[in-house]
Amino acid sequence: YQRRVHGKQWYQRRVHGKQWYQRRVHGKQWYQRRVHGKQWYQRRVHGVIDQIQRVRTQVGGVALVTPTSEHVARQSTANAMDSFSETTEKSKLWPGYSEMLRGVMGRPPAKPEESLQLRALRENVVVVAKSMEHLSDESQKAVADMAGKLVDFMWAEVRPVLEKQQLVVSRRRIDELTEVDAAGFADRIAGYKDDVAELESRVAGYAADVEEAYKNILSRTPSEEAYNRLVSEIGAQALLDTGCSKEDFLEMIVAGSYCTVTPSSILPNGMDLARDEVEQLALDEDFQIPPRGSIEFDECAILWSMFKNSQNIALNFFKFGLNQTKLEHWAAPPKLDDVPQEIWADLPPEMYPFMTKNRDQGEGFVQTFSDAEVNRVFKTDIEQLRDTEAEVERLEAEQPENERRGAIRDRDLGRAEERLQALRTKVDGRIKAALTFAKASDAGLNTDFGTSFGYAQKQVESQT
């Protein structure tokens, strides 16, 4: 028996020893993975730092300040994560880096890599087309097929514009360097003069309105001749035959074109767009907004343009902060004067005087109350009636500026009329309760309830 026990203990020690050994091995493996992970991370970080200057040069030597520095750093990070030492044809393009390549963020100090610019433009055409959810699958395929040809054609169209702009820049550089130190910058001045001579020979053969014609394309308002040329040269008729509209086609043209102007000069007014979006949002999300043309409404448009993509900050304010009818969400601290009114509004509408004895009024006694008593008991109701009636009158007199405003006005007017009717029904019920609480019958009086009710009702209405 003792040998059996000792054998079992020996076996358990062997098992425990094996488990201890396995834990040591697993612990070592875990440690090695942590070390390797740290080394991998360090290599990636070093890869980002090592290529920042190269990535910056590829996009035209932009200044490493906000926001261009962030886009360069993010593109370098994306390259390093995929084991690239620079931005290549296979690299993922960071959106901000793509915008710099497409000229959206202005003219860089040096010339970016043309192959990357063309790639950014081709990808942007496809992205813009995919954002048009109303386009059919056939149209999407046609866009993908013609994106390369579209970009190549528009790249050829922008060359004269860029060369005319570069001529102006080169002349300005000569004047600036000459003024600062003509002798010290003699070599650079000579280089710019050579550039000017070469550009002048080419620019002389360009049409005088080449910049204006290209700007019209960017602003989506080309001439009929220019539009027909776009369709013909790009081969876009197949796309238009799939149901793609002229407006959508021009939007794709802009997406595949290098930007040579300030974007704000060709884009629609941002405030007008924000106003329209707020009005549509008021319809979709069911909240009230100030009238168009008011400072309050413009403030809503500005707020929406700033925070529409920031965790619904603007939308939540519109729905729960802007509308006083939804105080259960963002209630303002109650004023001391409001507290008694809110409490009294829920109490039985008891009004004085109470009849304590028969005054020989006979049949048809009319119960009356003073204006002070009516105001004391019905003050909250009177204020709500007054405000609601004013709102109904304002909405009835409102002249909607557009179809959305008309739909909002009709919706708000219907709701205001419903609230007004509900308030009047509530007040009528409280008047009847007040006449009952007066207990004129206990004094032996036969009250003319209908006449008394009409008299009290007129008293309330006269104060609204």
Side-chain angles (χ1 to χ4, degrees), residues 352-371:
Y352 300 92
F354 282 72
M355 298 297 103
T356 57
K357 64 180 180 178
N358 192 328
R359 298 180 180 178
D360 297 326
Q361 297 291 334
E363 297 291 335
F365 168 70
V366 177
Q367 174 71 63
T368 60
F369 304 99
S370 66
D371 289 340

Side-chain angles (χ1 to χ4, degrees), residues 271 274-275 277-278 281 295-310 312-319 321-322 330:
M271 278 297 291
R275 292 186 187 103
E277 289 178 347
V278 170
L281 201 65
I295 295 177
E296 292 77 11
F297 180 64
D298 284 348
E299 289 176 343
C300 290
I302 294 172
L303 181 68
W304 175 247
S305 65
M306 294 173 62
F307 297 108
K308 62 181 176 182
N309 296 319
S310 302
N312 293 327
I313 290 176
L315 177 59
N316 286 333
F317 174 74
F318 295 152
K319 293 178 67 175
L322 182 66
W330 288 0

Side-chain angles (χ1 to χ4, degrees), residues 208-237:
D209 62 343
V210 63
E211 291 179 293
E212 186 65 25
Y214 189 78
K215 181 178 178 180
N216 289 339
I217 293 176
L218 293 182
S219 59
R220 303 158 184 83
T221 57
S223 64
E224 191 65 25
E225 180 183 356
Y227 175 75
N228 293 333
R229 182 166 172 264
L230 288 172
V231 175
S232 174
E233 295 290 341
I234 297 173
Q237 192 58 50

Side-chain angles (χ1 to χ4, degrees), residues 179-193:
E179 182 179 356
V180 173
D181 186 358
F185 293 109
D187 55 339
R188 295 180 62 180
I189 293 174
Y192 279 121
K193 286 183 177 179

Side-chain angles (χ1 to χ4, degrees), residues 28 167 240 254 260 376:
K28 185 177 181 180
L167 177 59
L240 297 173
V254 174
T260 59
R376 180 183 67 82

